[in-house]
């Protein structure tokens, strides 16, 4: 149990915006994001760091934000699902998840996308086993992973195409119902 | 991808989902994302003992802890009624025992709620809960349902002698005994269907808020059935008028059955919010979800299958002990009875079936519906029985299936066991089972399996093929069949929809169904949009709020398409009718001569005499010039009670490689040929199938909720409960046949549970096939490396081939 009332100041850049927050030393990064900054796109799916629903990027690397203390990100840059794209300016992964039905209830989706973004930053052309291995720390109970894997592969292809300047960074076109 | 010639006719099109933009951008709004002004936080203290008398509870220290607002125990909530059980097993005596919102005297499982702590922050409430001192007197514990039936076993409830909740049967006892007695071949096997934890990725939670000014409650909940929850909380638990409460399910992160039910926290947060005059939020931790939210399955079954050496099965007798847990969850008694026994004919023309089920209380978490709910257990029995029988007579299991299939000309087919206490007979609606089997075998290369097996053997692997030709009962259910006089369900099971076409021609659909991942916001819009000829983007589907949606029973039992979707279809028909009548008035035509197509009402034979739906909606909305007796506005509601369930089917083939040395099972290919009738949106349907398959594979290979003899949950965290992960699954290979259902005008059958129902048996059959050289004929799930390794070593040492018990993976 922490000493009641004792707080520590944390200075962190979140989705490009500098923030300073006073936190209890025991506070987790995921709680800082959700409770103090209102960034509820980062989810909590477990209490043993098994599910990956809380995945965010700290200084460009995917981490499970339930396994990081808020005080540990002092001086760091954190990116959450809210920071990688938005409606109208979707990240290729967001677009690919939508196009390929890579989500059902959507609860695992932000963590999945953040995890996959980390993979694609390291390996722009992963094969299917590589994708499956990369996301094995993220649990999805709805999709059986089939369409998540398709989504990540499609996003990788779209990002490679965009990099090569051959086309827009969008996944295969499908009729939109939105 | 082919697009329909008419872009408005989106039925059957793989549209991207309308609900997705908020989920992919992190702007969905799940229960724990909601913060109300002045909100407090509830943490529940749960019994560490599986069975114990509570001698005393000392909350004095906890009450003085920082931030603590209130602490409650069972003594404080003694006036509050127990939770209701809404489904007693039909036609037999039931001994109903249900939980209290806080248990007052005896804890009966390790999740039983003993005290409630409310504080300014969740962390403060956790700290204070740890400071509550409870004096427990431990009582004897029983966790295994078969043990609980034995003389001298610990008794859980006074009104349930021998811990028996109900004894139920279906089918023909005498005929089946006769068939077994006179058969050429009889195969007997004990089959355990292990206990599972549903694991929606969002845990459960609830928020209560009481408005002293209006005397009204609002309860947010992670529920698959908010209308039903309102009814149960108000009328049955708290004793307040139903209309004084509003229940809202915000975005819900999966349910798989576990979020259908009423849990103690839902009335508790409402009750506390009134006590305190402040809102209060409860959200489970994952470990708490494992402990205290319902589990699924947990059957011990003895089967006898009888037939002749030419492959014809003449009788199936099934005796099942179903573990209900410590109390009855909301619809628990109906799962191992109606939803299990009545499916035991599977896809086959078994002339004699008899099923006896004993529902038993134990000191474990409550067991209720989990994806498929009774039907996967039944399918597992039937599909294992077929393979055991095929093995005994030395016939290809595919051929045994083919010889016993209900032939296509026998539909509608009466499997006898679907006829309940009222004598009301339901029949399988439509089916043609052999083509799905043939296609699945072709995709798997089944005819040339010897070559594939030899190739695998050259790598030290044992290749096995496993089949499962499942059927499912979807679109539950005709109210008079399933209701109190029949199967014992304490209500109806119709569904509702309302359509309002606004002045601008934009449409709002409200439904009593509840979306928690299935895509209602898209598929309902496709149905309504296609029928009214309005673009899908102009149709908004609202759901899951008792204020503003018509009463409905919610989403489960693969019913949102085949029941909820048809309610939407019927409401659209009413709108079309009214639109035609109004257009006739506007065109000075005879209403009898009007047609409606592509968003236009026109005079038959003169398509230029027409009014668009936007023109009609405007005329209806302003109401300046309506036909005599017509009310203004295009606003129609439909309540649809299905005349029958629907019966999707298919054949799945699992191909596994077993490592001879380690017992490791690798699922190398998974093929599914499903017939779910027509599809509203194939993208969504395939997604349902994928997820269902993964859950069935998880049961077959890895998952299991394990209690030790003292009632401690050993698989108590996500570290100890082995969920399917991406790296251990292949991509699934799906194809389809399409046999439209004659039950409803869309010809749809439902797909939410099909994958789970078919897959566990396919995988187990494949592993047993791979191990055929060892003479192993059955292994109980989950087929972990250790379990399979042990089975091979026991067989090599000359042990019996049957009855190897599975051990869930996380428990090394
Ligand atoms: S919440 Fe599950 S890994 Fe962080
Ligand atoms: S979409 Fe529901 S958990 Fe992944």
């Amino acid at each position: 149990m922490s000493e009641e009332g004792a707080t520590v100041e944390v200075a962190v850049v979140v989705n490009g915006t500098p923030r300073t927050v006073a936190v209890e030393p025991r506070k987790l990064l995921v709680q800082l994001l959700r409770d103090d900054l209102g960034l509820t796109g980062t989810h909590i799916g477990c209490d043993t760091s098994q599910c990956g629903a809380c995945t965010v990027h700290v200084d460009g690397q995917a981490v499970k934000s339930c396994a990081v203390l808020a005080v540990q990100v002092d001086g760091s840059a954190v990116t959450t699902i809210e920071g990688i794209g938005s409606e109208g300016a979707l990240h290729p992964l967001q677009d690919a998840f939508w196009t390929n039905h890579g989500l059902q209830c959507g609860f695992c989706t932000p963590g999945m996308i953040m995890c996959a973004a980390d993979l694609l930053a390291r390996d722009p052309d992963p094969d299917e086993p590589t994708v499956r291995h990369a996301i094995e720390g993220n649990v999805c109970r709805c999709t059986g992973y089939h369409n998540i894997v398709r989504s990540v592969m499609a996003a990788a292809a779209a990002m490679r195409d965009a990099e090569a300047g051959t086309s827009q960074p969008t996944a295969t076109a499908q009729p939109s119902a939105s | 991808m082919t697009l329909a010639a008419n872009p408005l006719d989106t039925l059957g099109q793989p549209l991207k989902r309308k609900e997705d933009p908020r989920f992919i951008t992190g702007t969905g709004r799940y229960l724990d994302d909601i913060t109300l002004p002045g909100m407090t936080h509830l943490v529940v203290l749960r019994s560490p003992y599986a069975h114990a008398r509570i001698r005393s509870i000392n909350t004095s220290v906890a009450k003085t802890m920082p931030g603590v607002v209130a602490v409650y125990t069972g003594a404080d909530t003694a006036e509050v009624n127990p939770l209701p059980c809404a489904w007693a097993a039909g036609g037999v005596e039931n001994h109903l025992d249900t939980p209290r919102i806080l248990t007052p005297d005896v804890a009966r499982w390790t999740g039983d709620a003993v005290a409630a702590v409310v504080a300014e922050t969740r962390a403060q409430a956790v700290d204070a809960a740890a400071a509550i001192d409870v004096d427990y007197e431990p009582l004897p514990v029983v966790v295994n349902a078969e043990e609980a039936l034995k003389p001298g076993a610990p008794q859980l409830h006074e009104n349930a002698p021998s811990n028996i909740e109900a004894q139920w049967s279906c089918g023909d006892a005498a005929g089946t005994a006769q068939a077994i007695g006179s058969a050429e071949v009889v195969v007997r096997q004990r089959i355990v269907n292990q206990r599972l934890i549903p694991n929606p990725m969002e845990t459960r939670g609830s928020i209560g808020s009481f408005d002293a000014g209006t005397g009204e409650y609002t309860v947010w909940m992670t529920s698959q059935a908010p209308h039903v929850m309102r009814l149960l909380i108000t009328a049955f638990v708290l004793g307040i008028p139903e209309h004084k409460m509003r229940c809202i399910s915000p975005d819900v992160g999966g349910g798989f059955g576990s979020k259908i039910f009423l849990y103690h926290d839902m009335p508790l947060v409402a009750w506390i919010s009134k006590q305190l005059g402040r809102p209060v939020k409860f959200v489970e931790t994952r470990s708490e979800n494992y402990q205290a939210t319902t589990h699924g399955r947990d059957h011990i079954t003895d089967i006898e299958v009888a037939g002749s050496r030419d492959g014809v099965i003449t009788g199936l007798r099934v005796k099942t002990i179903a573990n209900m847990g410590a109390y009855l969850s909301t619809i628990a008694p109906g799962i191992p009875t109606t939803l299990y026994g009545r499916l035991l004919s599977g896809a086959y023309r078994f002339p004699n079936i008899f099923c006896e089920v004993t529902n038993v209380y134990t000191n474990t978490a409550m067991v209720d519906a989990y994806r498929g709910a009774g039907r996967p257990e039944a399918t597992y029995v039937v599909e294992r029985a077929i393979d055991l029988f095929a093995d005994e007579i030395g016939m290809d299991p595919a051929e045994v299936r083919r010889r016993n299939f209900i032939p296509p000309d026998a539909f509608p087919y009466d499997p006898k066991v679907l006829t309940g206490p009222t004598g009301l007979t339901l029949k399988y609606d439509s089916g043609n089972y052999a083509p799905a089997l043939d296609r699945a075998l072709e995709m798997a290369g089944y005819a040339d399996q010897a070559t594939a097996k030899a190739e695998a053997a050259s790598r030290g692997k044992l290749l096995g093929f496993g089949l499962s030709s499942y059927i499912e009962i979807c679109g539950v259910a005709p109210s008079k069949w399933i209701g109190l006089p029949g199967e014992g369900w304490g209500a109806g099971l119709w569904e509702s929809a309302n359509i309002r076409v606004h002045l601008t021609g934009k449409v709002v659909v409200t439904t009593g169904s509840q979306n928690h991942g299935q895509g209602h916001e898209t598929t309902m819009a496709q149905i309504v949009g296609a029928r009214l000829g309005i673009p899908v983007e102009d149709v908004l589907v609202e759901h899951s709020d008792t204020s503003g949606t018509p009463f409905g029973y919610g989403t489960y039992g693969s019913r949102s398409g085949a029941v909820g979707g048809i309610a939407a279809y019927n409401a659209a028909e009413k709108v079309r009718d009214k639109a035609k009548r109004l257009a006739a008035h506007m065109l000075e035509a005879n209403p009898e001569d009007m047609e409606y197509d592509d968003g236009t009402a026109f005079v038959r034979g003169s398509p230029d005499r027409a009014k668009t739906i936007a023109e009609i909606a405007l005329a209806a909305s302003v109401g300046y010039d309506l036909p005599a007796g017509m009310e203004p506005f295009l606003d129609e509601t439909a309540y649809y009670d299905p005349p029958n369930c629907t019966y999707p089917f298919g054949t799945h083939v699992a191909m596994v490689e077993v490592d001879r040395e380690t017992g490791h099972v690798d699922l190398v290919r998974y093929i599914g040929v499903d017939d779910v009738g027509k599809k509203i949106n194939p993208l969504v349907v395939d997604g349902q199938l994928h997820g269902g398959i993964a859950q069935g594979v998880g049961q077959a290979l890895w998952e299991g909720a394990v209690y030790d003899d003292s009632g401690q949950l050993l698989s108590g965290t996500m570290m100890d409960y082995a969920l399917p992960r991406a790296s251990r699954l292949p991509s699934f290979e799906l194809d389809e046949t399409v046999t439209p259902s004659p039950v409803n005008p869309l010809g749809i059958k439902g797909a939410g549970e099909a994958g789970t129902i078919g897959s566990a048996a396919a995988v187990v059959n494949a592993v047993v096939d791979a191990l055929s050289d060892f003479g192993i004929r059955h292994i109980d799930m989950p087929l972990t490396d250790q379990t399979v390794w042990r089975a091979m070593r026991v067989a090599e040492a000359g042990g019996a081939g049957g009855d190897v018990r599975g051990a869930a993976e996380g428990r090394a």
Side-chain angles (χ1 to χ4, degrees), chain B residues 474-494:
Chain B
C474 278
V476 293
S479 298
K480 71 177 172 193
W481 173 74
I482 203 159
L484 271 181
E487 300 299 317
W489 170 272
L493 266 181
W494 43 263

Short mmCIF file of all heavy atoms in Angstrom, two decimals, chain B residues 474-494:
data_model
loop_
_atom_site.label_atom_id
_atom_site.label_comp_id
_atom_site.label_asym_id
_atom_site.label_seq_id
_atom_site.Cartn_x
_atom_site.Cartn_y
_atom_site.Cartn_z
N CYS B 474 -30.78 -22.69 -33.84
CA CYS B 474 -30.56 -21.25 -33.76
C CYS B 474 -31.90 -20.54 -33.74
O CYS B 474 -32.95 -21.16 -33.84
CB CYS B 474 -29.81 -20.77 -35.00
SG CYS B 474 -28.05 -21.00 -34.92
N GLY B 475 -31.80 -19.22 -33.68
CA GLY B 475 -33.02 -18.43 -33.77
C GLY B 475 -34.01 -18.81 -32.69
O GLY B 475 -35.21 -18.97 -32.93
N VAL B 476 -33.50 -18.94 -31.45
CA VAL B 476 -34.38 -19.31 -30.35
C VAL B 476 -35.28 -18.13 -30.00
O VAL B 476 -34.80 -17.02 -29.90
CB VAL B 476 -33.59 -19.79 -29.12
CG1 VAL B 476 -32.90 -21.10 -29.41
CG2 VAL B 476 -32.59 -18.76 -28.64
N ALA B 477 -36.55 -18.38 -29.78
CA ALA B 477 -37.28 -19.63 -29.98
C ALA B 477 -38.76 -19.29 -29.95
O ALA B 477 -39.15 -18.25 -29.42
CB ALA B 477 -36.97 -20.63 -28.88
N PRO B 478 -39.62 -20.15 -30.52
CA PRO B 478 -41.07 -19.91 -30.39
C PRO B 478 -41.45 -19.83 -28.91
O PRO B 478 -41.14 -20.74 -28.15
CB PRO B 478 -41.69 -21.13 -31.05
CG PRO B 478 -40.63 -21.68 -31.94
CD PRO B 478 -39.32 -21.37 -31.28
N SER B 479 -42.10 -18.75 -28.52
CA SER B 479 -42.37 -18.54 -27.09
C SER B 479 -43.20 -19.66 -26.50
O SER B 479 -42.96 -20.11 -25.38
CB SER B 479 -43.09 -17.20 -26.90
OG SER B 479 -42.25 -16.15 -27.33
N LYS B 480 -44.19 -20.14 -27.24
CA LYS B 480 -45.07 -21.15 -26.63
C LYS B 480 -44.38 -22.51 -26.55
O LYS B 480 -44.80 -23.35 -25.77
CB LYS B 480 -46.41 -21.24 -27.34
CG LYS B 480 -46.38 -21.85 -28.70
CD LYS B 480 -47.81 -21.94 -29.24
CE LYS B 480 -47.76 -22.38 -30.69
NZ LYS B 480 -49.00 -22.21 -31.39
N TRP B 481 -43.31 -22.71 -27.31
CA TRP B 481 -42.55 -23.95 -27.18
C TRP B 481 -41.61 -23.88 -25.98
O TRP B 481 -41.57 -24.77 -25.15
CB TRP B 481 -41.76 -24.22 -28.47
CG TRP B 481 -40.82 -25.40 -28.38
CD1 TRP B 481 -41.18 -26.71 -28.38
CD2 TRP B 481 -39.40 -25.37 -28.23
NE1 TRP B 481 -40.05 -27.51 -28.25
CE2 TRP B 481 -38.95 -26.71 -28.16
CE3 TRP B 481 -38.45 -24.35 -28.16
CZ2 TRP B 481 -37.60 -27.05 -28.03
CZ3 TRP B 481 -37.11 -24.68 -28.03
CH2 TRP B 481 -36.70 -26.02 -27.96
N ILE B 482 -40.87 -22.75 -25.89
CA ILE B 482 -39.82 -22.69 -24.87
C ILE B 482 -40.37 -22.20 -23.53
O ILE B 482 -39.75 -22.39 -22.49
CB ILE B 482 -38.66 -21.79 -25.34
CG1 ILE B 482 -37.38 -22.16 -24.59
CG2 ILE B 482 -38.99 -20.30 -25.22
CD1 ILE B 482 -36.10 -21.73 -25.26
N GLY B 483 -41.55 -21.57 -23.54
CA GLY B 483 -42.07 -20.90 -22.35
C GLY B 483 -42.47 -21.82 -21.22
O GLY B 483 -42.32 -23.05 -21.29
N LEU B 484 -43.04 -21.22 -20.17
CA LEU B 484 -43.31 -21.95 -18.92
C LEU B 484 -44.05 -23.27 -19.08
O LEU B 484 -43.66 -24.26 -18.48
CB LEU B 484 -44.09 -21.04 -17.96
CG LEU B 484 -43.23 -20.17 -17.05
CD1 LEU B 484 -44.12 -19.33 -16.14
CD2 LEU B 484 -42.27 -21.02 -16.22
N PRO B 485 -45.11 -23.33 -19.87
CA PRO B 485 -45.82 -24.62 -19.96
C PRO B 485 -45.01 -25.68 -20.68
O PRO B 485 -45.25 -26.87 -20.52
CB PRO B 485 -47.07 -24.28 -20.80
CG PRO B 485 -47.11 -22.81 -20.93
CD PRO B 485 -45.73 -22.30 -20.70
N GLY B 486 -44.02 -25.26 -21.47
CA GLY B 486 -43.23 -26.20 -22.24
C GLY B 486 -41.89 -26.45 -21.60
O GLY B 486 -41.74 -27.22 -20.66
N GLU B 487 -40.88 -25.75 -22.11
CA GLU B 487 -39.50 -26.00 -21.68
C GLU B 487 -39.13 -25.27 -20.40
O GLU B 487 -38.01 -25.41 -19.92
CB GLU B 487 -38.53 -25.64 -22.80
CG GLU B 487 -38.76 -26.44 -24.08
CD GLU B 487 -38.58 -27.93 -23.89
OE1 GLU B 487 -37.61 -28.32 -23.21
OE2 GLU B 487 -39.42 -28.71 -24.39
N GLY B 488 -40.03 -24.47 -19.87
CA GLY B 488 -39.79 -23.89 -18.55
C GLY B 488 -39.16 -22.52 -18.52
O GLY B 488 -38.92 -21.96 -17.45
N TRP B 489 -38.85 -21.97 -19.69
CA TRP B 489 -38.32 -20.59 -19.77
C TRP B 489 -39.39 -19.63 -19.26
O TRP B 489 -40.51 -19.64 -19.76
CB TRP B 489 -37.96 -20.31 -21.23
CG TRP B 489 -37.60 -18.91 -21.60
CD1 TRP B 489 -38.47 -17.92 -21.99
CD2 TRP B 489 -36.30 -18.34 -21.66
NE1 TRP B 489 -37.76 -16.78 -22.29
CE2 TRP B 489 -36.44 -17.00 -22.09
CE3 TRP B 489 -35.01 -18.82 -21.38
CZ2 TRP B 489 -35.33 -16.14 -22.25
CZ3 TRP B 489 -33.93 -17.97 -21.55
CH2 TRP B 489 -34.09 -16.66 -21.98
N GLY B 490 -39.04 -18.77 -18.31
CA GLY B 490 -40.06 -17.99 -17.62
C GLY B 490 -40.49 -16.73 -18.32
O GLY B 490 -40.83 -15.73 -17.66
N ALA B 491 -40.51 -16.72 -19.64
CA ALA B 491 -40.94 -15.53 -20.38
C ALA B 491 -41.19 -15.95 -21.81
O ALA B 491 -41.47 -17.11 -22.07
CB ALA B 491 -39.87 -14.44 -20.31
N GLY B 492 -41.12 -14.99 -22.74
CA GLY B 492 -41.21 -15.31 -24.17
C GLY B 492 -39.83 -15.20 -24.79
O GLY B 492 -38.86 -14.90 -24.11
N LEU B 493 -39.75 -15.47 -26.08
CA LEU B 493 -38.46 -15.24 -26.76
C LEU B 493 -38.66 -14.63 -28.14
O LEU B 493 -37.93 -14.93 -29.07
CB LEU B 493 -37.63 -16.52 -26.84
CG LEU B 493 -36.62 -16.69 -25.70
CD1 LEU B 493 -35.81 -17.97 -25.87
CD2 LEU B 493 -35.67 -15.50 -25.59
N TRP B 494 -39.67 -13.77 -28.24
CA TRP B 494 -39.83 -13.01 -29.47
C TRP B 494 -38.84 -11.85 -29.48
O TRP B 494 -38.10 -11.67 -28.51
CB TRP B 494 -41.27 -12.49 -29.58
CG TRP B 494 -41.83 -11.94 -28.30
CD1 TRP B 494 -42.63 -12.61 -27.40
CD2 TRP B 494 -41.63 -10.63 -27.76
NE1 TRP B 494 -42.93 -11.78 -26.33
CE2 TRP B 494 -42.34 -10.57 -26.53
CE3 TRP B 494 -40.94 -9.50 -28.19
CZ2 TRP B 494 -42.35 -9.42 -25.73
CZ3 TRP B 494 -40.95 -8.36 -27.40
CH2 TRP B 494 -41.66 -8.34 -26.19
#
